[in-house]
Amino acid sequence: GLPKQFCTKYLPKRDEWITLVDEKGTESDSYYLARKWGLSAQWKAFAINHKLVDGDCLVFERIHQTRFKVHIIRQSSYYK
């Protein structure tokens, strides 16, 4: 899930579709589950498409109420 403080401050108070924009400008919609502080539908596809692995860090930059730029910091970049 996502950090509770982040969700209560920046995300909708009810379940809602949000748009994730990667660093290349590609958009992906994902369903935000307010009571679970997490993403559901299409999140797995986003993770697979961006080859996310355990240890990668994601920074969600709020562009609009339901639109976020996602910056990916690769776990492997810490060991170079």
Side-chain angles (χ1 to χ4, degrees), residues 1 9 11 15 17 21-23 25 29-30 41 47-48 51 56 58 60 69 75 77 79-80:
K9 187 172 183 177
L11 292 172
D15 296 356
W17 285 98
V21 183
D22 70 15
E23 292 164 325
D29 290 327
S30 186
I48 290 169
K51 298 179 175 60
D56 285 349
L58 303 179
F60 289 77
K69 174 103 178 191
Q75 181 266 349
S77 68
Y79 299 105
K80 289 186 177 179

Side-chain angles (χ1 to χ4, degrees), residues 10-49:
Y10 297 109
L11 292 172
K13 304 298 182 219
R14 64 183 192 288
D15 296 356
E16 188 171 338
W17 285 98
I18 64 170
T19 301
L20 306 175
V21 183
D22 70 15
E23 292 164 325
K24 293 180 181 177
T26 304
E27 297 183 3
S28 302
D29 290 327
S30 186
Y31 200 65
Y32 171 65
L33 301 171
R35 288 183 286 158
K36 294 187 177 187
W37 304 306
L39 301 174
S40 182
Q42 300 303 317
W43 171 250
K44 184 175 182 178
F46 181 91
I48 290 169
N49 291 339

